[in-house]
Amino acid sequence: MEAKPPSFALMPQYALPLQPQGVEIVLWHLLESQREGHEWALHFPQRQTTSMSAARQAEHQAVASALTQLLGHPDWHLTHTNDGKPQLHVRDESSAQAVSISHVRMGKDVWAAVAMWNDGDTPGGIDLVLTDDARVTRVAPRVMSTQEQSKWRGCEAWAWATKEAMFKGHGPELEFQSQALLKDCTGIPGDEAGTLRGKVRETPWSGSWCRIRERLLLVWGA
């Protein structure tokens, strides 16, 4: 992991405080005032976008903006497998590409993160979570073993986001308590960024994390 030079890029694309290795990531901040039009709906042909709530529409708009920024053009659409995994179809290419997606609401705004691993075959995953989301501690007993709950007490958001990233890369059949484990980390919880090490079905997994605006946690790995 290398430090990223200072960036003066304007929002809504948010510059990460570190440079990801082997993966392209775009983090997008959609303000409530920026929600307009429905051109983004063309990117989701499997979705009934007109019947979505305003909140769900905003999530899709943020994802569409992030993916268009990552690809550098709007000629793409997204489908999902029967297991719910997103598949990216670019221009006229016959095969779909793997992509990992996450979004979260912070106040009235939406944040979306999209990631594509450079080799195209890495089973990577990305996740966004608010470090003060009370739901994370409530769900912890269902997704973390007793030992994990003790080890990561006060840092449940990191463990939860890591397990979600593992699931997106290695799911859908992945038992969180025994097969998706965060073992070690650096920088948690006080630093701005750090690394993660764990195991997925006894296979080593490595990742990174960074904190955005104190409350927003971004985790990715493979």
Side-chain angles (χ1 to χ4, degrees):
M1 182 174 62
E2 300 176 356
K4 188 172 185 177
S7 172
F8 299 95
L10 298 176
M11 299 292 272
Q13 183 179 356
Y14 196 93
L16 301 181
L18 56 87
Q19 180 63 52
Q21 300 296 296
V23 58
E24 297 292 328
I25 296 175
V26 168
L27 177 62
W28 198 266
H29 180 195
L30 180 68
L31 301 172
E32 184 183 27
S33 59
Q34 294 172 328
R35 301 176 195 173
E36 57 184 21
H38 288 272
E39 295 82 1
W40 54 266
L42 299 175
H43 295 295
F44 306 94
Q46 291 181 336
R47 303 291 197 192
Q48 297 296 325
T49 56
T50 56
S51 61
M52 288 180 178
S53 66
R56 287 286 289 156
Q57 289 187 7
E59 292 167 355
H60 281 68
Q61 182 182 345
V63 169
S65 298
L67 273 172
T68 297
Q69 180 69 23
L70 185 148
L71 294 171
H73 63 81
D75 192 4
W76 62 271
H77 69 274
L78 203 70
T79 61
H80 291 77
T81 67
N82 292 335
D83 296 323
K85 280 193 173 186
Q87 292 185 306
L88 182 64
H89 305 263
V90 179
R91 293 196 168 108
D92 296 327
E93 296 179 8
S94 57
S95 60
Q97 302 178 38
V99 61
S100 188
I101 296 171
S102 185
H103 48 71
V104 69
R105 299 183 63 81
M106 189 157 64
K108 295 182 178 180
D109 298 344
V110 176
W111 292 77
V114 296
M116 291 181 64
W117 271 256
N118 295 345
D119 64 8
D121 296 319
T122 299
I126 195 166
D127 196 56
L128 283 169
V129 67
L130 298 179
T131 57
D132 59 354
D133 190 336
R135 294 173 297 179
V136 173
T137 53
R138 287 202 299 268
V139 78
R142 298 203 299 270
V143 300
M144 299 171 66
S145 66
T146 302
Q147 182 179 4
E148 283 185 296
Q149 291 178 61
S150 176
K151 183 174 183 177
W152 302 115
R153 184 167 290 114
C155 302
E156 289 89 352
W158 279 261
W160 167 250
T162 296
K163 289 172 182 280
E164 279 287 293
M166 290 173 172
F167 176 80
K168 290 176 181 179
H170 297 269
E173 296 181 3
L174 188 67
E175 209 288 312
F176 276 19
Q177 287 190 352
S178 61
Q179 296 179 327
L181 306 175
L182 174 60
K183 293 292 189 179
D184 301 291
C185 63
T186 63
I188 295 175
D191 290 350
E192 184 181 25
T195 59
L196 304 159
R197 290 195 305 114
K199 285 188 176 182
V200 177
R201 299 190 185 94
E202 298 302 320
T203 299
W205 181 96
S206 61
S208 300
W209 66 271
C210 64
R211 193 200 303 265
I212 309 296
R213 295 190 177 180
E214 296 186 1
R215 298 175 55 217
L216 183 61
L217 177 65
L218 174 64
V219 164
W220 66 92

PDB file of all heavy atoms in Angstrom, residues 9-15 29 34 111 213:
ATOM      1  N   ALA A   9      -8.954  17.031  -6.483  1.00  0.00           N
ATOM      2  CA  ALA A   9     -10.108  16.697  -7.313  1.00  0.00           C
ATOM      3  C   ALA A   9     -11.388  17.129  -6.611  1.00  0.00           C
ATOM      4  O   ALA A   9     -11.561  16.915  -5.412  1.00  0.00           O
ATOM      5  CB  ALA A   9     -10.139  15.196  -7.574  1.00  0.00           C
ATOM      6  N   LEU A  10     -12.258  17.760  -7.356  1.00  0.00           N
ATOM      7  CA  LEU A  10     -13.510  18.230  -6.798  1.00  0.00           C
ATOM      8  C   LEU A  10     -14.477  17.082  -6.629  1.00  0.00           C
ATOM      9  O   LEU A  10     -14.410  16.080  -7.323  1.00  0.00           O
ATOM     10  CB  LEU A  10     -14.115  19.301  -7.710  1.00  0.00           C
ATOM     11  CG  LEU A  10     -13.283  20.581  -7.892  1.00  0.00           C
ATOM     12  CD1 LEU A  10     -13.963  21.505  -8.895  1.00  0.00           C
ATOM     13  CD2 LEU A  10     -13.077  21.296  -6.564  1.00  0.00           C
ATOM     14  N   MET A  11     -15.390  17.231  -5.682  1.00  0.00           N
ATOM     15  CA  MET A  11     -16.465  16.292  -5.546  1.00  0.00           C
ATOM     16  C   MET A  11     -17.297  16.367  -6.813  1.00  0.00           C
ATOM     17  O   MET A  11     -17.258  17.368  -7.505  1.00  0.00           O
ATOM     18  CB  MET A  11     -17.292  16.645  -4.323  1.00  0.00           C
ATOM     19  CG  MET A  11     -16.499  16.589  -3.035  1.00  0.00           C
ATOM     20  SD  MET A  11     -16.006  14.931  -2.591  1.00  0.00           S
ATOM     21  CE  MET A  11     -17.434  14.435  -1.659  1.00  0.00           C
ATOM     22  N   PRO A  12     -18.105  15.332  -7.131  1.00  0.00           N
ATOM     23  CA  PRO A  12     -18.534  14.240  -6.257  1.00  0.00           C
ATOM     24  C   PRO A  12     -17.614  13.028  -6.219  1.00  0.00           C
ATOM     25  O   PRO A  12     -17.819  12.154  -5.395  1.00  0.00           O
ATOM     26  CB  PRO A  12     -19.889  13.864  -6.824  1.00  0.00           C
ATOM     27  CG  PRO A  12     -19.773  14.173  -8.279  1.00  0.00           C
ATOM     28  CD  PRO A  12     -18.899  15.382  -8.369  1.00  0.00           C
ATOM     29  N   GLN A  13     -16.610  12.913  -7.118  1.00  0.00           N
ATOM     30  CA  GLN A  13     -15.664  11.819  -6.946  1.00  0.00           C
ATOM     31  C   GLN A  13     -14.754  12.167  -5.788  1.00  0.00           C
ATOM     32  O   GLN A  13     -14.189  13.251  -5.732  1.00  0.00           O
ATOM     33  CB  GLN A  13     -14.830  11.570  -8.199  1.00  0.00           C
ATOM     34  CG  GLN A  13     -13.900  10.374  -8.032  1.00  0.00           C
ATOM     35  CD  GLN A  13     -13.070  10.085  -9.260  1.00  0.00           C
ATOM     36  OE1 GLN A  13     -13.240  10.741 -10.290  1.00  0.00           O
ATOM     37  NE2 GLN A  13     -12.185   9.126  -9.167  1.00  0.00           N
ATOM     38  N   TYR A  14     -14.617  11.222  -4.860  1.00  0.00           N
ATOM     39  CA  TYR A  14     -13.860  11.491  -3.650  1.00  0.00           C
ATOM     40  C   TYR A  14     -12.500  10.802  -3.743  1.00  0.00           C
ATOM     41  O   TYR A  14     -12.421   9.593  -3.993  1.00  0.00           O
ATOM     42  CB  TYR A  14     -14.624  10.982  -2.427  1.00  0.00           C
ATOM     43  CG  TYR A  14     -14.120  11.542  -1.118  1.00  0.00           C
ATOM     44  CD1 TYR A  14     -14.695  12.682  -0.572  1.00  0.00           C
ATOM     45  CD2 TYR A  14     -13.064  10.942  -0.439  1.00  0.00           C
ATOM     46  CE1 TYR A  14     -14.238  13.214   0.626  1.00  0.00           C
ATOM     47  CE2 TYR A  14     -12.598  11.467   0.751  1.00  0.00           C
ATOM     48  CZ  TYR A  14     -13.184  12.598   1.284  1.00  0.00           C
ATOM     49  OH  TYR A  14     -12.731  13.123   2.455  1.00  0.00           O
ATOM     50  N   ALA A  15     -11.435  11.567  -3.563  1.00  0.00           N
ATOM     51  CA  ALA A  15     -10.085  11.020  -3.642  1.00  0.00           C
ATOM     52  C   ALA A  15      -9.792  10.193  -2.392  1.00  0.00           C
ATOM     53  O   ALA A  15      -9.938  10.671  -1.267  1.00  0.00           O
ATOM     54  CB  ALA A  15      -9.070  12.143  -3.776  1.00  0.00           C
ATOM     55  N   HIS A  29     -19.762  10.553  -4.206  1.00  0.00           N
ATOM     56  CA  HIS A  29     -20.618  11.190  -3.209  1.00  0.00           C
ATOM     57  C   HIS A  29     -21.733  11.925  -3.943  1.00  0.00           C
ATOM     58  O   HIS A  29     -21.497  12.938  -4.601  1.00  0.00           O
ATOM     59  CB  HIS A  29     -19.774  12.172  -2.377  1.00  0.00           C
ATOM     60  CG  HIS A  29     -20.563  12.875  -1.316  1.00  0.00           C
ATOM     61  ND1 HIS A  29     -20.084  14.002  -0.672  1.00  0.00           N
ATOM     62  CD2 HIS A  29     -21.780  12.631  -0.778  1.00  0.00           C
ATOM     63  CE1 HIS A  29     -20.970  14.421   0.210  1.00  0.00           C
ATOM     64  NE2 HIS A  29     -22.013  13.598   0.163  1.00  0.00           N
ATOM     65  N   GLN A  34     -28.138  16.927  -6.118  1.00  0.00           N
ATOM     66  CA  GLN A  34     -27.654  16.521  -7.433  1.00  0.00           C
ATOM     67  C   GLN A  34     -28.543  15.467  -8.096  1.00  0.00           C
ATOM     68  O   GLN A  34     -28.230  15.011  -9.190  1.00  0.00           O
ATOM     69  CB  GLN A  34     -26.226  15.977  -7.319  1.00  0.00           C
ATOM     70  CG  GLN A  34     -25.213  17.027  -6.897  1.00  0.00           C
ATOM     71  CD  GLN A  34     -23.858  16.420  -6.601  1.00  0.00           C
ATOM     72  OE1 GLN A  34     -23.756  15.280  -6.147  1.00  0.00           O
ATOM     73  NE2 GLN A  34     -22.808  17.181  -6.834  1.00  0.00           N
ATOM     74  N   TRP A 111     -23.424   7.623  -0.739  1.00  0.00           N
ATOM     75  CA  TRP A 111     -22.062   7.318  -1.143  1.00  0.00           C
ATOM     76  C   TRP A 111     -22.072   5.962  -1.839  1.00  0.00           C
ATOM     77  O   TRP A 111     -22.725   5.030  -1.364  1.00  0.00           O
ATOM     78  CB  TRP A 111     -21.127   7.260   0.059  1.00  0.00           C
ATOM     79  CG  TRP A 111     -20.896   8.584   0.724  1.00  0.00           C
ATOM     80  CD1 TRP A 111     -21.749   9.241   1.563  1.00  0.00           C
ATOM     81  CD2 TRP A 111     -19.735   9.402   0.614  1.00  0.00           C
ATOM     82  NE1 TRP A 111     -21.188  10.421   1.980  1.00  0.00           N
ATOM     83  CE2 TRP A 111     -19.945  10.544   1.421  1.00  0.00           C
ATOM     84  CE3 TRP A 111     -18.524   9.275  -0.074  1.00  0.00           C
ATOM     85  CZ2 TRP A 111     -18.996  11.558   1.538  1.00  0.00           C
ATOM     86  CZ3 TRP A 111     -17.585  10.281   0.054  1.00  0.00           C
ATOM     87  CH2 TRP A 111     -17.819  11.411   0.847  1.00  0.00           C
ATOM     88  N   ARG A 213     -14.151  10.989   6.082  1.00  0.00           N
ATOM     89  CA  ARG A 213     -14.934  11.910   6.913  1.00  0.00           C
ATOM     90  C   ARG A 213     -15.305  11.295   8.262  1.00  0.00           C
ATOM     91  O   ARG A 213     -16.440  11.421   8.728  1.00  0.00           O
ATOM     92  CB  ARG A 213     -16.179  12.379   6.172  1.00  0.00           C
ATOM     93  CG  ARG A 213     -15.848  13.215   4.938  1.00  0.00           C
ATOM     94  CD  ARG A 213     -17.070  13.871   4.360  1.00  0.00           C
ATOM     95  NE  ARG A 213     -16.713  14.713   3.233  1.00  0.00           N
ATOM     96  CZ  ARG A 213     -17.584  15.423   2.518  1.00  0.00           C
ATOM     97  NH1 ARG A 213     -18.878  15.373   2.827  1.00  0.00           N
ATOM     98  NH2 ARG A 213     -17.182  16.165   1.514  1.00  0.00           N
TER      99      ARG A 213
END
